[in-house]
Amino acid sequence: MNEMDEFEFEAESQPEEAFHIEVDLYDTGDHNNLLVVPCNDTYIVVSGDEHLCTLEKTCDEPECWAQTDGLVDEELVERLGLAISSYISSL
């Protein structure tokens, strides 16, 4: 396999279309179905019809996520980032 084949394989692992994740937003045991819209290196998270936040993965080891837009707390940012990473790794 040459370098171009490796690059094309890696590019396919990133989602190009919107997808859904389930996260317990309020730490009540009830999971909410959220829409995630990938946009370049950021992920726009939508709950119902409202923008919840926009996240960006900032590092891989340890995995770190940062909120670039929105007002969710850091604990929820970590849970959302983990759910997004889990979805991406399942591709």
Side-chain angles (χ1 to χ4, degrees):
M1 185 182 317
N2 66 31
E3 290 180 32
M4 281 304 284
D5 290 338
E6 290 177 21
F7 177 74
E8 289 175 12
F9 178 74
E10 288 178 18
E12 291 176 13
S13 67
Q14 293 296 327
E16 295 179 9
E17 296 182 4
F19 58 92
H20 287 90
I21 59 173
E22 289 192 2
V23 176
D24 182 1
L25 290 178
Y26 306 106
D27 207 18
T28 60
D30 295 325
H31 286 78
N32 302 82
N33 190 356
L34 306 174
L35 177 68
V36 179
V37 181
C39 182
N40 297 325
D41 293 332
T42 62
Y43 296 88
I44 301 164
V45 182
V46 179
S47 177
D49 291 334
E50 295 183 26
H51 172 259
L52 184 63
C53 64
T54 302
L55 301 179
E56 179 178 22
K57 188 172 185 180
T58 56
C59 58
D60 290 323
E61 293 296 327
E63 188 171 300
C64 305
W65 288 83
Q67 182 175 198
T68 58
D69 188 23
L71 299 173
V72 299
D73 63 27
E74 284 301 312
E75 183 180 322
L76 185 53
V77 168
E78 290 177 23
R79 285 187 286 185
L80 291 167
L82 179 63
I84 292 169
S85 292
S86 295
Y87 176 83
I88 292 171
S89 66
S90 73
L91 295 177

